[in-house]
Amino acid sequence: MSDQPGEEQTAEVRQRRVPDSPEEKKHLKAPERDDVRPTSDESDMDALMQDDDSDAGLKENKKDELERLTKSIPQDKGSLGEFADSMLESLPPRWRNWVVRGLFTVIMISTFTFIVNRGATWLMFLVFLIQFKCFQEIISIGLAVYRLYDFPWFRALSWYFLLTSNYFFFGESLIDYWGIVLKKDNFLHFLVAYHRLVSFALYCIGFVSFVLSLRKGYYMRQFSLFAWTHLTLLLIVSQSFFIIQNIFQGLIWFLAPVAMIICCDVMSYMFGFFWGKTPLIKLSPKKTWEGFIGGAFSTVIFGILLSLALYNRPFFVCPVQHYQTDSSNCTIPLAFQLQDYPVPRPFSFIYKILRKEPAVQLCPFVFHSIALSLFASILGPFGGFFASGFKRAFKIKDFGDVIPGHGGLMDRFDCQLLMGTFVMVYIHSFIRVPDASKLIKQIMTLEPNEQLDIFNLLKSELSKTGLL
């Protein structure tokens, strides 16, 4: 009895043979996809993240599953309330959307103008408010896709990392600012002196808490959202940090770039709405070349006019800390002081006929505004294209529905992703000069013998140059 099974198996193996001809190999079938089972104990989201172009049915199932997961994310419907909607009901959808967008564009610009006139403190609160809302919109997408709404402790960690990142980026600069506003020397000196140590300690607490929150069966989703959170912090917190640093250089370095982006958005929409015919990019099918070119031209003209209107107003052009110290005696930076520029040929011939000096007086910021407006109109929209690709990846139309006709706050501030960084780099490359008051403050934190060494070195160098 014991030999019989072995003989049957041997006979079965003998009957098998390797196919030799191409016709025989052609009829061999690969294992069906349905026979393959996931080996991971993770969620079905892991299988959803795998891409298989060979199975159209499976791809369609993944698409449906992704749409189901993101269904909880609020989407803008352009509703103004029952009464207003009934008044606009007779309009075609295209014009109804135009009216709603236009109305809330006017409201947002009016609110922004009011806050700008209130000064730097109000603007900083506005930046933080926008930062928190944009972070919430992006994190909500991650929570929906990776289905982690059942982990309130883990959700709280995302907000903890946001607060920790804000402390790391803004701690020193905001403490210095409030020390000037409150007119207190050594304001919260301990937090300034040990800023990086405190920041690292706070991050370690969050890191350890994340490790302790890991649960079997959810590792992939938790680590994916951990990476999602850090990438969001990189995009949102770093940009808001650069924007606030720009505010410290003078309100105009915040107002002009933001206004240029707004102008580019509005004019691109207007030109595209009325004359747009040629598609610009597949990521945003509604964007057209006519809108892109019209928006760029309008933004450059707007930037020049805005610079001519604000260059002689200390409230906008003076560094914030100098203006807070003595608003009536603020030194206008060189970028905003009028200078003579020779008129190039052949235009100088007109001045010679009129017997005038072939020169015009302009402040250098006019030329800086041209550079900023070109960046805002040519490269700035790619922040919007980036956001469009992100939304398409998760089958959603908007980041939220907080602004009727526009979507979420992230939908309106996506083009600011690159602008804040560019302005900060531009200031450090072409505008900014060392602040003597900050250098003195840093020197005064040293030991007395080190301060004397710096004094002797400075005296020696100034004697060599002939200043002493």
Side-chain angles (χ1 to χ4, degrees), residues 191-249:
L191 294 180
V192 175
Y194 301 99
H195 172 72
R196 287 166 179 77
L197 178 62
V198 174
S199 300
F200 183 70
L202 292 174
Y203 182 82
C204 286
I205 293 173
F207 182 81
V208 172
S209 300
F210 165 74
V211 175
L212 295 177
S213 71
L214 293 173
R215 288 177 55 179
K216 184 178 181 181
Y218 297 91
Y219 295 149
M220 177 66 76
R221 285 191 275 176
Q222 288 183 284
F223 273 101
S224 297
L225 193 61
F226 182 77
W228 185 295
T229 300
H230 280 65
L231 181 59
T232 305
L233 293 174
L234 177 65
L235 291 174
I236 302 300
V237 181
S238 61
Q239 290 301 313
S240 57
F241 170 73
F242 295 145
I243 289 172
I244 288 184
Q245 292 301 308
N246 297 338
I247 292 175
F248 287 148
Q249 298 302 314

Side-chain angles (χ1 to χ4, degrees), residues 49-63:
M49 293 170 66
Q50 297 174 358
D51 191 15
D52 187 358
D53 295 333
S54 63
D55 195 331
L58 187 62
K59 285 183 65 178
E60 191 65 28
N61 291 337
K62 293 177 182 178
K63 179 180 177 181

Side-chain angles (χ1 to χ4, degrees), residues 1-15:
M1 294 291 295
S2 61
D3 295 338
Q4 191 171 358
E7 292 176 357
E8 292 178 355
Q9 293 175 0
T10 304
E12 183 181 354
V13 171
R14 288 174 180 172
Q15 291 176 0

Side-chain angles (χ1 to χ4, degrees), residues 267-286:
M267 298 310 296
S268 295
Y269 177 76
M270 297 294 287
F271 275 91
F273 184 87
F274 289 105
W275 299 287
K277 294 181 180 180
T278 311
L280 175 63
I281 187 170
K282 291 182 178 179
L283 283 174
S284 296
K286 294 183 180 180

Side-chain angles (χ1 to χ4, degrees), residues 314-443:
F315 176 76
F316 289 103
V317 303
C318 288
V320 170
Q321 294 183 352
H322 294 175
Y323 190 82
Q324 292 283 356
T325 303
D326 187 1
S327 59
S328 62
N329 193 28
C330 168
T331 302
I332 302 296
L334 290 175
F336 304 98
Q337 296 180 14
L338 291 175
Q339 298 181 19
D340 291 330
Y341 291 94
V343 177
R345 294 179 180 179
F347 303 103
S348 60
F349 179 72
I350 300 175
Y351 283 82
K352 291 180 179 179
I353 294 177
L354 299 174
R355 296 182 179 181
K356 292 184 177 181
E357 184 70 22
V360 294
Q361 278 197 329
L362 290 173
C363 66
F365 186 74
V366 173
F367 302 102
H368 297 318
S369 68
I370 295 175
L372 295 177
S373 58
L374 286 174
F375 185 92
S377 57
I378 297 175
L379 292 179
F382 280 85
F385 301 152
F386 175 85
S388 297
F390 181 88
K391 289 183 288 187
R392 284 181 172 272
F394 295 100
K395 311 300 179 185
I396 57 176
K397 184 175 73 73
D398 302 302
F399 284 96
D401 62 348
V402 68
I403 310 174
H406 294 268
L409 276 182
M410 193 64 201
D411 291 288
R412 286 279 53 86
F413 292 93
D414 48 12
C415 292
Q416 302 286 353
L417 286 175
L418 297 175
M419 196 66 193
T421 303
F422 173 72
V423 175
M424 189 274 297
V425 171
Y426 191 90
I427 290 174
H428 280 261
S429 301
F430 302 107
I431 306 297
R432 189 175 183 180
V433 295
D435 190 339
S437 61
K438 288 188 176 181
L439 292 176
I440 294 296
K441 186 179 293 185
Q442 291 175 350
I443 292 174

